[in-house]
Amino acid sequence: MSGHRDRSERLSGSASRGRLFGTPRMRTVASQVFVLQVAVVVLLVVAAVVALLLQSRSDAEAAARDRSLAVAETFAQSPGTRQALKSPDPTELLQPRAEAVRKATGVDFVVVTNTDAIRYTHPLPDRIGNRFVGNIQPALDGAVVVEWITGTIGPLVQAIVPVVDTDGTVIGTVTSGVTVENVSGTANQQLPVVLGAAGSALILATGGTALISRRLRRQTHGLGPTELSRMYDHHDAVLHAVREGVIVVDGNRRLVLANDEARRLLGLPPDAEGRPVSDLGITLSMDELLESGRTATDEVHLAGDRMLAVNQRSTSRNGGTPGSVATLRDTTELREVTGRADVAHSRLRLLYDAGLRIGSTLDVVRTAEELTDFAVPRFADFATVDLLDQVLRGEEPVSAGADGYPMRRIAVSGVRSNPPIYPLDSLIDFVPATPQATGFRSGRAILEADMTTFAGWQEQDPARARKMVHYGLHSMISVPLQARGEVLGVATFWRSGKPKPFEDGDVTLAEELVARAALAIDNARRYTREHTMAVTLQRSLLPSVLPGHSAVEVAHRYLPAHAGMGGVGGDWFDVIQLSGARVAMIVGDVVGHGLHAAATMGRLRTAVHNFATLDLSPDELLWHLDELVTRIDHEESGSSGRPAITGATCLYMIYDPISRGCVMARAGHLEPALVHPDGSIDFPELPAAPPLGLGGLPFETAERLLPEGSRLVLFTDGLIENRERDIDEGLRMLRDALAAAPPTPEGTCGAVLDALLPDRPSDDIALLVARTRVLDRERVADWDVPGDPSAVSEMREAVTEKLGAWGLDDLVFTTELILSELITNAIRYTAGPIRMRLVRDRTLICEVADSSSTAPHLRHAATMDEGGRGLFLVAQFAERWGTRYTTEGKVIWAEQPLPGEA
């Protein structure tokens, strides 16, 4: 304090002596800044005035030129000027006009001359008739001349413009001139205003500079540059020499200053100053303290492996700048006391995080990967998981044999690549001397603290063991994966390089970590078993191979949902051969997953097969199916408590290769995609209807004529919709995939799945692609049958002729017999038109259509009955027969195998 008082007195004495002798000494920073700022302001004002004068001069010259030229051209181009020059006395006509123009425009003179340069007009009448002083020859040549001259009235600008007659000849000139002084008078009148404004600006700037200098003088306490530099050197030396950290933070919570000790204690980067406190990467508690700026006294905070005692005070007290200053002391004597608490806290935190990150899915392999990924590098440098093969299949674990413990490696993680351990997917038969086998047999974790001693673990593979030690692996813990009293496999943790070896305390932590993972793996194993059973049931209920059809060429795919994302669902598809060479195609989806969904799907598929044998139209079939689902729901949900199957959807369509017609109906399902032979794609609009089991609304059909080679793409919503995309995005992706897909059904299936199949499907996917065919009209014959019994013989003759043309003479007898019976019944029991049709497909199809809706019934006639054996004979000779109803009546049909295909 005495030094500071002496320095103040010395400064006061110096200032007094300066005032005494009247010689101002600019020793302070404020004085120097004041003089510099005043000088800068004066220079700026002078520069502005000079620039204004120069600009005014330039503007005056440009204005003089433009005015003289405009007046001369206007006067010269006036028609009255040409007429006056041709008159006997041009001066009498032109002089009044020239003077009027001169006075109106503000020019100094307007002079008109003839081609001999004799003046006709002049402001001074006594100069009229004299020769024009100047060079008018360029104007006589047709050019416009603008020139600067110094005349009797001073510097001026004059413009000489030719007067051109109507025939293009020059008959005279017009000269207009104005002095620069005449034009610049306005700018000169503004100059006092400009100079006054500049003076006012100079006064204001000087006053502002004085205020700034006064504030600067108060902030620097009147010290000069040398004294400030010396003071900063002393401050810097003291700040960085003390063994206590000092941190200064401003009001915006940015680091202003940190001494060397603070940088060391907090591990601050070199560019820390100027950065926000939150970006310095210090601990959370220290970050909160510095951000808040609150007062703190000997608070203890953890910074890395150091315990710091922190004091913090605000710098805004007593009018100071906003911010805070904190001091840090390293209290190393508390490390040993708090070390155990830190270890316990970190282990609890590790186990808590493990519970959140391990077991997020019901997938055995994924759960094992989560364990190894979590352990590296938090707990170990390398981690592996080996499981019994039956566990991977979802089966109950079986005790290993006495000679070994074969397990498959399903997860590997490490801080470096290509470690010399067994790679992923290896089947490892651990010998009894290894820690893995010992732990698997005893159910306890085994610690190999120093692998370099080769205490027995190397007997599994001596050559690989040497590579592992050379690689740097020096410590190992093997922990059995044990859940519900069963050992599923082992997890092994290694450390390498600089980290310290595993200790006994680490074994307990490893056991806790693995126990959590083992329970999740066992849950996933049990789910995998159920998933496998459901997939097996689902695939057994779906058609494994679809028979060939003349109507369509088909390809199909069924993909169950990933085991960890919901498992198998109730998606299904089918292709059913109908009468008349037609084919039915079905895709359905039962909401839900698991065995119940698969079993429900099987029941619905069986029901559709049964309804299809009745040759129902799509809307009628869906109506019957809806009634069946409603009845099953009422029967099962009321008594047994089983879940209802409401929510099943279905798309049913029938394609006729003879007419190329396709009739479609849906119950809550997505529309199919239709790829035309030319590559265009659309989604046929089908009438909307609720899912099966809801009832209340009728089902409606839509019909399309399909060109040959069209591809019908039927699918379930799992193909286009998942957690990452909605239906609209999925439909757009499907359209793009179909546009680029090969024209074959197999190629289309592959291209669609490649484009839309996610890595881990969360829902079943059923895909059916059918490319339409058209039956050649040469393979179809039909006739109108008269309603007279005598027409039967005529029909037999026509059938015999057509079968002979087709090379089917072996079928003439049975076909005549079948058609005779069917036509006779139609004539006997109906009064409307009758039609007969033969179709040569994979079988020979005989059809008789009439207008009656009454179906015949097969019965067995008694021995003495004279009738009733017709349909019995038809059933005996035909491979299949039946009845289907149409809007006009019914069709009775019968199929016979072709020779060589029976």
Side-chain angles (χ1 to χ4, degrees), residues 428-458:
I428 310 170
D429 190 0
F430 290 107
V431 300
T434 59
Q436 289 83 359
T438 303
F440 186 90
R441 183 175 59 251
S442 64
R444 295 183 293 103
I446 303 300
L447 169 64
E448 193 73 37
D450 188 1
M451 297 172 57
T452 60
T453 62
F454 296 101
W457 67 272
Q458 77 282 358

Side-chain angles (χ1 to χ4, degrees), residues 326-342:
T327 60
L328 319 172
R329 294 196 315 275
D330 187 1
T331 57
T332 54
E333 64 275 7
L334 298 177
R335 293 179 187 174
E336 186 175 354
V337 178
T338 58
R340 295 179 182 177
D342 292 342

Side-chain angles (χ1 to χ4, degrees), residues 571-572 587-589 669-670 714-720 764-766:
D571 292 14
W572 56 285
V587 166
D589 184 5
H669 205 82
L670 296 169
L714 291 74
F715 52 90
T716 55
D717 58 357
L719 178 69
I720 60 173
D764 283 20
I765 295 175

Side-chain angles (χ1 to χ4, degrees), residues 166-460:
T166 55
D167 59 356
T169 60
V170 177
I171 61 176
T173 66
V174 175
T175 302
S176 173
V178 60
T179 60
V180 176
E181 180 181 0
N182 188 13
V183 177
S184 60
T186 303
N188 293 336
Q189 294 174 2
Q190 297 176 353
L191 186 59
V193 178
V194 173
L195 293 177
S200 300
L202 178 60
I203 293 172
L204 292 176
T206 303
T209 301
L211 293 176
I212 294 174
S213 300
R214 182 178 178 181
R215 181 175 180 82
L216 183 60
R217 183 182 296 110
R218 185 168 58 251
Q219 292 178 346
T220 59
H221 302 288
L223 299 179
T226 303
E227 293 171 316
L228 285 176
S229 177
R230 186 183 304 113
M231 180 181 293
Y232 176 81
D233 292 340
H234 293 167
H235 162 270
D236 191 59
V238 172
L239 182 66
H240 294 288
V242 298
R243 300 306 298 169
E244 189 173 75
V246 179
I247 289 182
V248 179
V249 179
D250 64 12
N252 295 324
R253 316 321 300 167
R254 291 180 176 272
L255 182 63
V256 177
L257 183 143
N259 67 348
D260 295 341
E261 183 68 4
R263 292 178 182 274
R264 184 183 69 83
L265 294 177
L266 298 179
L268 298 178
D271 60 344
E273 292 180 353
R275 291 168 56 180
V277 173
S278 57
D279 293 345
L280 298 179
I282 55 180
T283 60
L284 183 62
S285 60
M286 280 291 297
D287 187 3
E288 184 275 332
L289 177 61
L290 297 177
E291 278 278 357
S292 65
R294 59 181 174 82
T295 300
T297 302
D298 289 334
E299 287 189 6
V300 179
H301 293 268
L302 182 66
D305 58 349
R306 296 183 176 90
M307 299 295 293
L308 302 181
V310 183
N311 292 273
Q312 181 168 266
R313 296 293 183 272
S314 174
T315 59
S316 60
R317 295 181 178 179
N318 302 323
T321 58
S324 61
V325 58
T327 60
L328 319 172
R329 294 196 315 275
D330 187 1
T331 57
T332 54
E333 64 275 7
L334 298 177
R335 293 179 187 174
E336 186 175 354
V337 178
T338 58
R340 295 179 182 177
D342 292 342
V343 172
H345 179 269
S346 63
R347 289 181 175 178
L348 288 174
R349 184 67 186 180
L350 185 69
L351 293 175
Y352 174 77
D353 292 341
L356 295 177
R357 301 192 183 186
I358 299 175
S360 62
T361 65
L362 289 173
D363 182 82
V364 172
V365 175
R366 181 57 191 155
T367 303
E369 292 173 348
E370 289 174 345
L371 170 60
T372 59
D373 291 342
F374 179 80
V376 177
R378 293 178 178 86
F379 178 67
D381 295 324
F382 297 91
T384 60
V385 172
D386 308 307
L387 294 181
L388 297 171
D389 266 352
Q390 55 264 38
V391 174
L392 294 175
R393 296 191 297 268
E395 303 171 3
E396 292 292 334
V398 179
S399 299
D403 297 332
Y405 299 85
M407 285 176 274
R408 189 169 299 279
R409 181 150 292 175
I410 63 169
V412 177
S413 298
V415 295
R416 289 184 288 167
S417 60
N418 300 321
I421 58 178
Y422 286 109
L424 192 66
D425 203 37
S426 301
L427 185 61
I428 310 170
D429 190 0
F430 290 107
V431 300
T434 59
Q436 289 83 359
T438 303
F440 186 90
R441 183 175 59 251
S442 64
R444 295 183 293 103
I446 303 300
L447 169 64
E448 193 73 37
D450 188 1
M451 297 172 57
T452 60
T453 62
F454 296 101
W457 67 272
Q458 77 282 358
E459 293 183 14
Q460 176 71 33

Side-chain angles (χ1 to χ4, degrees), residues 22-98:
T23 57
R25 302 174 62 186
M26 294 183 294
R27 293 183 56 190
T28 65
V29 174
S31 301
Q32 295 177 1
V33 170
F34 176 76
V35 173
L36 178 61
Q37 289 184 340
V38 169
V40 169
V41 171
V42 170
L43 289 176
L44 289 176
V45 171
V46 171
V49 172
V50 172
L52 179 63
L53 293 176
L54 293 177
Q55 183 64 38
S56 176
R57 176 77 177 183
S58 175
D59 293 345
E61 293 176 352
R65 178 183 180 279
D66 295 341
R67 186 186 300 180
S68 60
L69 181 60
V71 171
E73 287 182 340
T74 303
F75 200 89
Q77 293 172 5
S78 174
T81 303
R82 288 195 299 268
Q83 296 174 0
L85 287 174
K86 294 178 181 179
S87 65
D89 191 0
T91 297
E92 183 179 358
L93 298 176
L94 292 175
Q95 176 65 9
R97 292 176 55 196

